[in-house]
Structure formats: C-alpha cells, structure tokens
Amino acid sequence: MAITASNLCFPSLNQNQSRKENFFKSQNGYFIHKPSSKTTLLSPFFSSCTPTQISALSTTTIEQQATDYNGRISQFCRLGNLQNAMELLCMAEKSELESKTYCLVLQLCADLKSLKDGKKVHSVINSNDVVVDEALGSKLVFFYVTCGNLKEGRRIFDNMAEKKVFLWNLMANEYAKVGDYKESMNLFKKMVETGSELNSHAFSCVLKCLAALGDLTEGECVHGYLLKLGFGRCNSVVNSLVAFYFKGKRVENAYKLFDELSDRDVISWNSMISGYVANGLAEKGMEVFKEMLCLGIDVDLATVVSVLVGCANLGTLSFGKVVHGLSIKASFERKLRFNNTLLDMYSKCGDMDGALRVFEKMGERSVVSWTSMIAGYTRSGQSDGAIRWLRQMEREGVKLDAVAITSILHACARNGSLENGKDVHDYIKANDMESNLFVCNALMDMYAKCGSMEDANSVFSQMTVKDVISWNTMIGGYSKNCLPNEALELFAAMIEGLKPDSRTMACILPACASLAALERGKEIHGHILRNGYSDQHVANALVDLYVKCGVLSLARLLFDMISSKDLVSWTVMIAGYGMHGFGKEAIATFNEMRNAGIEPDEVSFISILYACSHSGLIEEGGRFFNIMRYDCNIEPKLEHYACMVDLLSRTGNLSKAYKFIERMPIEPDATIWGSLLCGCRTYLDVELAEKVAEHVFELEPENTGYYVLLANIYAEAEKWEEVKKLREKIGRRGLRKNPGCSWIETKGKVNVFVAGDSSHPQTKNIESILRKLRRKMKEEGYYPKTKYALINADDRQKEVALCGHSEKLAMAYGLLRLPPNKTIRVTKNLRICGDCHEMAKFISKETGREIVVRDSNRFHQFKDGHCSCRGFW
C-alpha cells in the first residue's frame, strides 16, 4: 500500500498502552494522526514534518522525537491548549516528565481557572511519586489559591520546607482578600519569626490588614519595624502607611507621611484624596485634587471617582460638573465605575435630571446604576418615583438586588407610603427574596415606620433566621407606635436566646419611659451597667427614662455624667425640666447649652417654649420665640405656635391668644385651637370657648376629646342643657370617650384603676382610706371641688362621683401597699382633675408622703401640701 503525505506521521512508542491510543491510531503498521474536530492547534506542530516511510534504521531517532513529551507539552501550554497538554501529560511515564513541565501545566490551569484539570495534574504528581521541590510546591500553592481552594493551597504551603517571599505574600494577600485579616497577620508574624526576607509587598499587605482590623497600636509597631529595615522611603510602602493612618482616623500622621514623600505617584495623591473624603474632610480632598492638577500630574479613574464621592458628600454640584467635564476629556465616560459614581453624585446633590441624563447615556449599566437612581428618589422623599424605577427595572428584565430593595423600602418608610411598601413586599415574594435577612429587616422597618406593626410582626414571625437588628427593629417599632407592653414582652423573649446590644437598650428604654415603669427601667439600667453599654443613644435614653418616671434628680445626675453631650442630651434635659414645671431651670440649661457651643434646633425650641408655658413665664417665652426667628433663623412651625398659644392661654391672656392665632402666617390646626379651648376652661370663658370650638370641630370633627372638653366647660358653668345637647351630638356621631384610667407600679407589678371601677381586690380598703382623708380635709376647711364632678346632681352625689376618680384610687392604693418612705408614683392617661389635684396636695401634707402624678400633659410633684406646677396646668 502506498503511503501518502497526507496521512504519514510518527510510529507508536508503545502500542500496548491503551492511554496512548487516544492520541495515535494503528493502521497497517503505520501510525496516523487523527484530526480533532475541537482543535486545530496540532497542525502547526506537525506542519514541518516531512513524509517518510518508516524503517528499522530510523526507529531510535523517531522514538526519541516521540518521547519528547516535555517539549510538546510546553508547546501546547504556550499555545493555551490545555486539553492536548493534559492528554500528553497523562500518557507520559514518570521518568519522561520534568518538574518544570508540571509547573507549566499547573500555570495554564491557574490561568484558565480550571480547578478540575489542576487537581488531575496534582493526582498525576502524587501517583508518579514526583518529589515536590520548592518550584513545584510553589506552583501547586499558586494554582489552588488562584482557583479559590485556599484550604488545599494552605495545606501544601504548610508542608513545604522552603518558601520564598513571593509565596508568603501570595498566601497573606489571599487571606486578606477573603477578609480573614487575622490569619493574614499570623502569616506575617511567622514570616518574621522564620527569618524570611521581607519586601514592600509584605508590608503593604500587613498594613492593609491592620487598617481593616483597626489595630493602630500594632500598625505603629509595624511602621517602626519597616523604618528599621529601610522601607521608609519606599513609595508603595508609604502609600500603604498613608491609607492605614487615614483608616485609623490619624489624618495628621497620613498628611505628614505624604508631605515627606519625595517620590509621589498617582496612588500617593489618590490615597490622600480618598482618605480625606472617607474622614469627612472632603474639602481638603478637593484641595489636594486641585494641587495635583496644578502640578500637571495625570489623574486616573480612581482619582476622579474619589473626587466625585467628595462632591457628593459636600453637595457641591458645580464642582462635580467640572470634574465631569475633565473626565470626559480623559475618556473615562465609557467606564462603568465612573458612570455609576457620577450618577450617584448628581442624585446626592439633588439634580435628578442630571442623574437621569447620565443614566440614559450609559452604554453599559449594572444593578448599581439602577440602585443609584432609586436611591436618589429615596433621598428626595419621592417613593412614587422609586417605585416607578422598580417597575421599569422589571420591564427591562433587570433583577433588583438586596441593596435596591432596601433603598426603595427606606423611601417608603420616610414618606409613610404604606401602599407602595406593600407593592415592594409583593415584589419580594414574587422573586423569592423573603429569605434575605437584610431585606426582611428593611421590610419590618418600613412597616413599623408606617405604623403597621401587625404587618411588621407577620414578617418577623415568618423569618427563619433573625439577628439582633431584627429584634431591635420590632422592639423599637412597638415603642414608637405606642405599644410599650408589646415591646417589653418581645424584649423578654429576646434575652432568652440572644444577647442584646446597645441599640436594643436604646429601643426598650422608651417603652419603660412611656409606661413610667420605673422599677423595670431600673432593672434594664442595671443590665446596661453590667454589660458596659457606653453609647450616646443609651445615655440619652436613660436620662429620658428617669425624666418621664419623675426622678428628675437622677436624670440630672446621669446627664452631668455624659462626657460629650449632643443636642439630643440637652434637649431631653430641657424638656424634662419643662414637664416638671421647672421653667427657670430649663432656661438655665438652654443657656448652658448655647454657651457650650451647641446651637438649638426646632425641637430644642419646642422644649424651651413648652417649659415657659408650663411655668407661666410669658415674657421669657416671647423672648425665646423671637430668638428662634431672628437670631437662629428658624421659621416657626405649628408646634412652636401651639406652645405660644398655650403660654398665653395658661396665663389668662385669652384674647391675646385669639389674636395671635388670627395673625399666624400659616393655617392653625386643631391642636392650636385646642390649646386655647383648654384656656377657656381654666378661666371659664364660655363665650370664647363656643367660638373656638367651632374651629376645632371643623378641623377634627371625629375627635371626641374636644367635644368632651366643651361639655366640661358647660358643666363647670352649670349649663346642663348645653351639656345634654353636646352629649346627644356625641352619641349621634357614634363617638366614644376614652375612659380615664391611672396606674401605679408596686413590687414590679402594674396595677390599673378605671374611674368608678370597684372590681379591684383592695376596693374596700381603698374606699375606706379615701373617706377618712375626705373627712380630715373637711375638718381642716378643704371642701370637694364639686364642679369637677361634671354631673347634674346634688353636692353629695357629686362628692361620691369625685371619690371614684382613677387617680385618687391609685394614690390610695399606693398608701396601702408602699412603704412609708417610698414615693407614690401615679400615671394617668388624661389630665388630672382639679379636685384630685387638691386631694393630692392634702395627702402629701397629711401623710408626709411625696406623690408624683404624671398626666397626659405634664408632671405634678406634690410635697408638703404644694405642687410643682404652681397652678400652671
């Protein structure tokens, strides 16, 4: 048979080896290459071969060529043909392969991220009993690390006797990449202990780890060590030091290093810009950028990204636009990272039109691009706009990630857009995102801030995994939505299986404050002290707790212990003094705050005006109102006007209050008119009350409280026919009055009393005490204020009705159950009535007991026959 040039190749080296048959095929004494449909890379390798008929004389030469597996495998590796390189590797005998050949194939496996093939190479090495020297060991470690199998790479690394600095750095860097900074640090220490040669890469890696760990002390030691070894002028090491000190908030140290660095590169400048921006000093970052431009240093993508972040933080849209123009000239506009940062800058600066233009011009978009747009609408409070973008994403087939979802939920929470929030919840369900912890936490937060705790609890109860944020969101939600008992119950459930944090404490303390649950609050305070929760929010919440539980002296003591008081700390204390009727102390605290360099905000002024109102300080109140408007340039809101009307009304200036309302530049609400209506009751101005009531009923026709207030004014004026008409009107409208109730805490248990209720086990003893006290009051010339009975009956019946008021029942129970030296603390859901107020003063004088009553409006501290309110309530 004739042999043609088209099919002649080399003879088989060993026809009995079946694994070689995959590469050569026997046909009539000749071995013919079988072309592969998958690759043509063999063709160049064999193209130089001259067709030759095989003879016995040439067998040795051909065999030598055929056994040159190392050369052929090397050729395949250079060509990137892993498949054929692997086939030849598996065909070769142990003695036929060199260590460097294994290294070449492992390198190709690493380049192609082929973990499966690399493992196969490793298996061949093991089965052939190849000695793993330093070069081969290093290549195996490199392969496994590159392909993501850090555990196997570490195992081989640990078994190696000799390791070069490259390998140490490789392992340390890989641990840093996966966030295991401590293990990276451990490797660095072992490197030093073994006397391995350190280079700039080693120091750069360890400084990165120390920055992430926030270990300034260790970092300073490394700084000293690298100076000792002569790396103090190494550009890359100094850049890493600059980044390290910025991360540790040591801005001056970072600047000093940069200033002393003679060989600055673009990374040096970028480190300064990004460091300043990250430390809230974006203005300085912008100055560094300007200096960089003046010196003619070329900027890169990292430079403009950091500058744009700085512009976003500062809200300097005009400068951001300048950077945008420079970036276009530098051809960065096609970079996705640049466009996303640019888009974010426009949205954070409030220019959503500019953000939209950037978005529309983007050739490539990621989820981050969409999320930035959604976040922009979120920040501007446009939850409807955020929802529209959600719908647009769905139409374009872009799936939202957790960041986008939480951003939209945040917008709904800020706006109180419950319906939009529920739409997002439907999207979460449809896209199987209910198992995402961050999404669920954001969902609960949205429901809580929209006032739907039932929906929030539904999400919470279905979560299979809950973290401390989940519990805090629910506890805080219950506290803010006036459900303190539910908050306390959930807190008790939480501490059974999970350790709370400082945020938990800040969430649960307001629930105790709301209930005036002093004993429970003290228990939590003890827990805080034992666990060392030294947090500003917790400190402020503790002051607020003791203020609202009537222990003003302890509140002040804790306030004075706060080393760095913020605006909230001062405002809580000012409000506390106001609630207890200590207006002058509130004013002194307000002045002390301003002297400390802290400027008041809208809430601070509400607190000080409230304090003036509840202490009858009319001149001071007017002065603070003007300071707010003209000195602090704060435009008064409805709450500030309500305080001023309340101040004028409490001091008997009813006509002035009415004129003040008429002159208001904004439309008064029911609260403002209601304050004047309360003043009409205090000073029994029925005519003005009727006039004011018309405004109130028009604004809030379903608010029972205002109808009851007018009815009480008629009752005190003994206009019983008008009382009857008003009560009939309330009945026709189907309105219900909240029943008056009071509660008192004894031995950790809260005892609730409702007006006229005789179901309490101690009712007989309570009534007996009240009868004795009433008798003693009459003997000393105190007579019941029967006008507060608010019923059309004789004085005897009115007196009986007054004895059943809930606050009296609670005070009497306190006399029965509490030790003689214990303060009686009563909380009432409505305002204390005048007769109960007089009786409390008498009890405090007669028994020598201190009584603290917290009603819906303020605190009354009764001692030695006097009240802290001094009649201004």
Side-chain angles (χ1 to χ4, degrees), residues 261-273:
L261 182 63
S262 56
D263 182 26
R264 299 171 186 165
D265 59 9
V266 69
I267 297 172
S268 313
W269 292 91
N270 290 350
S271 297
M272 289 300 294
I273 296 168

Side-chain angles (χ1 to χ4, degrees), residues 26 295 519 521:
S26 172
L295 293 172
E519 295 305 316

Side-chain angles (χ1 to χ4, degrees), residues 348-377:
K348 283 181 178 174
C349 290
D351 186 359
M352 289 309 297
D353 291 334
L356 184 59
R357 284 192 296 272
V358 173
F359 183 85
E360 288 173 344
K361 289 179 180 177
M362 288 173 69
E364 180 190 0
R365 295 169 187 156
S366 65
V367 174
V368 176
S369 317
W370 290 88
T371 304
S372 294
M373 290 300 296
I374 291 168
Y377 285 108

